[in-house]
Amino acid sequence: MILVTGGAGFIGANFVLDWLAQVDEAVVNIDKLTYAGNLETLASLKGNPQHIFVQGDIGDSALVDRLLAEHQPRAVLNFAAESHVDRSIHGPEDFIQTNVLGTFRLLESVRGYWNGLPADRKAAFRFLHVSTDEVYGSLAPTDPAFTEENKYEPNSPYSASKAASDHLVRAWHHTYGLPVLTTNCSNNYGPFHFPEKLIPLMIVNALAGKPLPVYGDGMQVRDWLYVKDHCSAIRRVLEAGKLGETYNVGGWNEKPNIEIVNTVCALLDELRPRADGRSYREQISYVTDRPGHDRRYAIDARKLERELGWKPAETFDSGIRKTVEWYLDHAEWVRNVQSGAYRDWVRKQYEAGA
Ligand code: NAD
Ligand code: DAU
């Protein structure tokens, strides 16, 4: 049994779906179901006894203590977070609550549980914290990619809150001996991505005939990783990572935002041409830049490859095509997110006794 937090969000849900498709081990999934949590994403698991969903907050110590005692997981994987940089700029408080205080409370619950385990299970236990490359700050065009040795220089309220959580995790290992692992990953993309983030927003806006808002000059650079590759990296680190270590995860796909947007437009031009025969590129609209916008992220994932033998399976070309096709094939999922109907999935699930 493993316990996953934030498993109704984009990466957590992809992880739970992949895990249950590949590993014969049950998952307890605790998720607060903020705007970013979507049980419809997990609809295929309905009735699956290997998936136990609990709506709750990682900062609710009584609930987390009870779940740990009841289910006796061999590992806790912490995906739960407020994840959107723009939201952190407009309202940082939730980010401090969940990413900092929530992680602190979770660590304390896990420490109490872990301390009470018999020696063999205590030795085998793992706490894996899912974090981001944004903790390292911004790179100049000629800087080498981030390694695990880079110092932390977070610039947004989001990245500062994630950096704080990483430091707490590190300290709980150093001070209390909690067996922790941390992964710092670049920008994910793929199925079930909430359409506030660049790639899904561009796809859904393009199809709706809306403007495609590109911040500033569109020349900010991100490294992109297909979400299923992130999931395989996490499984590998959980299985073989060295305690107390951090692992950078990336796709070796550095691209300026405008190139991403042009690629999405080109794929849509091919797969779902506009009725008027013109390109979706005509919808691109340059808008005011994000305050404090980091110029460039790039991940050096060689440690993970060298020490644990992990490599991404997907190229950017294959991953982005699959992603655009997924959104074209899942119009109802998108519609329910846009209309807010996905929120009803909580009620429907409980009414159905799931
Ligand atoms: P997301 O916003 O899609 O999902 C977050 C999930 O956490 C949601 O289901 C939400 O309901 C849940 N949640 C929020 N606060 C909670 C709380 N207090 N208690 C319990 N559940 C709570 O985020 P994501 O993109 O899936 O990111 C998952 C993790 O991966 C985050 O920690 C994020 O920092 C990290 N990360 C994301 C990316 C990326 O590109 N999306 C890249 C690197 C790292
Ligand atoms: O690097 C990892 C991080 O990637 C994760 O830790 C975060 O949780 C995740 O949200 C993501 O952060 P970004 O800020 O990089 O992602 P976002 O999709 O918001 O933006 C990607 C880039 O595109 C960024 O440079 C801002 C730009 N952008 C974004 C949006 C939403 C636009 O130009 N227009 C937009 O409308």
Side-chain angles (χ1 to χ4, degrees), residues 160-183:
S161 69
K162 289 297 289 185
S165 69
D166 292 11
H167 288 321
L168 292 172
V169 170
R170 177 191 154 87
W172 261 239
H173 174 69
H174 192 80
T175 304
Y176 304 113
L178 192 71
V180 308
L181 299 156
T182 297
T183 53

Side-chain angles (χ1 to χ4, degrees), residues 83 132-134 158 187 197-198 213 215 222 257 290 293:
S83 69
T132 170
D133 60 358
E134 301 203 7
Y158 163 71
N187 285 58
K197 308 284 185 351
L198 180 71
Y215 297 164
R222 298 288 182 267
N257 292 337
R290 173 186 278 176
H293 200 168

Side-chain angles (χ1 to χ4, degrees), residues 11 82-86 131-134 158 162 185-188 193 196-202 212-216 218 220-224 257 261 287 289-290 293-295 297:
I11 303 172
E82 287 294 335
S83 69
H84 193 41
V85 175
D86 291 326
S131 193
T132 170
D133 60 358
E134 301 203 7
Y158 163 71
K162 289 297 289 185
C185 189
S186 58
N187 285 58
N188 286 215
H193 206 180
E196 63 183 351
K197 308 284 185 351
L198 180 71
I199 290 178
L201 181 73
M202 295 300 141
L212 309 179
V214 172
Y215 297 164
Q220 304 84 2
V221 171
R222 298 288 182 267
D223 169 66
W224 293 91
N257 292 337
V261 177
V287 298
D289 208 351
R290 173 186 278 176
H293 200 168
D294 283 338
R295 196 70 186 162
Y297 306 140

Side-chain angles (χ1 to χ4, degrees), residues 215-231:
Y215 297 164
D217 63 2
M219 291 306 289
Q220 304 84 2
V221 171
R222 298 288 182 267
D223 169 66
W224 293 91
L225 181 70
Y226 192 63
V227 63
K228 307 243 172 236
D229 281 326
H230 189 188
C231 296

Side-chain angles (χ1 to χ4, degrees), residues 5-13 30-38 56-59 78-84 94 97-99 102 129-133 158 162 183-189 192-194 196-197 224-225 230 343:
T5 74
F10 164 49
I11 303 172
I30 171 171
D31 194 296
K32 188 176 176 180
L33 296 178
T34 67
Y35 79 93
N38 186 345
D57 193 318
I58 56 167
N78 185 29
F79 293 88
E82 287 294 335
S83 69
H84 193 41
D94 286 348
Q97 280 298 339
T98 285
N99 301 359
H129 180 60
V130 180
S131 193
T132 170
D133 60 358
Y158 163 71
K162 289 297 289 185
T183 53
N184 293 91
C185 189
S186 58
N187 285 58
N188 286 215
Y189 67 101
F192 303 115
H193 206 180
F194 196 85
E196 63 183 351
K197 308 284 185 351
W224 293 91
L225 181 70
H230 189 188
R343 311 287 291 161

